[in-house]
Amino acid sequence: MRFASYNIQYGFGLDGRYDLERIADSLKGADVIALQEVTRGFSRNDYADMQADLTALFPDYFWVYGPACDLHVERINDRPAPRNTRLQFGNMILSRWPILSNRMLLLPRSRTLSKLNLQRGATEAVVAVPGGALRVYSVHLDHVSNDERIRQLAYLNERINAFTREGGSVTGSLEFDIDELPLPEDYIVMGDFNMVPESPEYCSFAGASDGYYGRTARIGTPIDALAALNAYAPESYSWMDPADHGKRMHLDYVFVSCGLESQLRSARVDTTAAGSDHFPVWVEIDI
């Protein structure tokens, strides 16, 4: 199965052009897709309903959309906006197979005074992959502070590991004649983490690397798929500054549960994609 994660920057590429079709083209062949920076009612992309437009471009996929940030829009082009127009900013998950349940995990945040600080979230989905079920997360962390990202990752990891104990979006569903949902242990966490490899926040999530033994796989600690497959090229990057293409960082990841480490087959960053200032991260896993 092929998994892809892509921060699509409201639909704008490095050339400043809004084009969802080229974003969809760059994701052809993916079985499960995690998207970040999907908006509705946003002035910068002419108030496009990206959720509706993206689902039209993937007509054979199941999907969920989780806006972490949701604001009232008062005016559009100096005219009153239609009643209940909303500015939404969040994550999507698209899948070839049914998404049995989903919920939005709102990540911790602290109030800033001068720098824009949006509510961030992780969209959780239980996907009915062939032969069983799998948890998939589409994640977008804070871009301002590594302290905030550490808190967000601690909360996210706690929720991930508590899933089989707490259940997902519903438990005890037999009371309403709904089949009990599966509680899969294995998971894939994809998204824009706004952190670089081996940073303090990276190590808080994936574990610190020992000078002799390296990074030891532990139950409850996610595994970086690219690192596990030695797929980081020298000066690897997944983001490029649109104003200065020399400024590059690796900010996007696919993490997997320990149970999936032996099933990892390949991982890469597609730096040929032109639909965003980020680039898609692809991972192939035997499920």
Side-chain angles (χ1 to χ4, degrees):
M1 289 178 56
R2 292 174 295 274
F3 297 81
S5 179
Y6 199 2
N7 178 329
I8 58 174
Q9 196 196 202
Y10 330 126
F12 290 103
L14 287 169
D15 56 5
R17 182 163 58 90
Y18 180 85
D19 188 345
L20 293 187
E21 289 190 6
R22 66 178 172 181
I23 287 172
D25 286 343
S26 69
L27 294 168
K28 281 183 177 178
D31 297 305
V32 178
I33 301 167
L35 301 177
Q36 302 85 45
E37 293 197 14
V38 179
T39 66
R40 305 170 82 179
F42 187 32
S43 61
R44 288 191 181 180
N45 55 20
D46 200 24
Y47 304 92
D49 186 340
M50 294 181 68
Q51 173 253 292
D53 295 339
L54 286 164
T55 54
L57 290 168
F58 293 91
D60 299 326
Y61 285 66
F62 299 87
W63 59 272
V64 291
Y65 175 55
C69 179
D70 189 325
L71 305 172
H72 172 66
V73 175
E74 185 70 31
R75 304 186 69 81
I76 296 178
N77 298 328
D78 296 325
R79 295 183 179 181
R83 182 177 296 275
N84 208 47
T85 299
R86 313 294 301 175
L87 164 57
Q88 295 181 335
F89 174 93
N91 312 320
M92 278 188 82
I93 295 174
L94 301 104
S95 166
R96 294 190 189 275
W97 298 284
I99 297 174
L100 302 179
S101 69
N102 92 286
R103 60 178 176 167
M104 191 68 189
L105 304 176
L106 297 180
L107 302 177
R109 60 191 291 265
S110 54
R111 182 179 175 185
T112 57
L113 297 178
S114 59
K115 185 69 176 177
L116 177 66
N117 184 17
L118 302 171
Q119 173 66 60
R120 304 302 177 107
T123 302
E124 174 191 88
V126 177
V127 180
V129 298
L134 182 71
R135 276 184 283 153
V136 176
Y137 296 83
S138 181
V139 177
H140 192 192
L141 299 188
D142 177 71
H143 69 294
V144 175
S145 164
N146 61 351
D147 291 336
E148 186 116 307
R149 289 191 290 273
I150 287 174
R151 289 192 293 270
Q152 291 175 340
L153 286 168
Y155 176 81
L156 177 61
N157 203 32
E158 182 181 351
R159 298 277 63 74
I160 288 172
N161 285 302
F163 177 87
T164 56
R165 182 178 71 251
E166 296 177 348
S169 59
V170 61
T171 57
S173 55
L174 291 176
E175 180 182 355
F176 291 94
D177 297 322
I178 301 172
D179 291 338
E180 283 290 323
L181 294 171
L183 299 174
E185 291 190 9
D186 283 323
Y187 57 81
I188 299 174
V189 186
M190 304 186 278
D192 175 8
F193 287 75
N194 276 310
M195 63 186 183
V196 296
E198 304 305 329
S199 62
E201 56 267 46
Y202 177 97
C203 293
S204 77
F205 194 58
S209 180
D210 180 80
Y212 184 79
Y213 292 103
R215 186 168 280 107
T216 303
R218 287 186 172 87
I219 298 297
T221 300
I223 293 171
D224 180 353
L226 271 76
L229 293 167
N230 296 314
Y232 281 109
E235 300 181 355
S236 179
Y237 64 94
S238 68
W239 171 85
M240 180 184 293
D241 189 337
D244 180 356
H245 290 188
K247 292 182 179 179
R248 304 172 178 182
M249 292 191 288
H250 192 98
L251 302 176
D252 304 83
Y253 301 84
V254 175
F255 292 95
V256 302
S257 56
C258 290
L260 295 177
E261 182 182 19
S262 64
Q263 295 160 241
L264 291 169
R265 291 295 170 261
S266 67
R268 63 186 174 91
V269 180
D270 178 13
T271 54
T272 66
S276 171
D277 58 345
H278 288 250
F279 301 95
V281 180
W282 287 76
V283 172
E284 188 175 23
I285 307 174
D286 285 342
I287 300 296

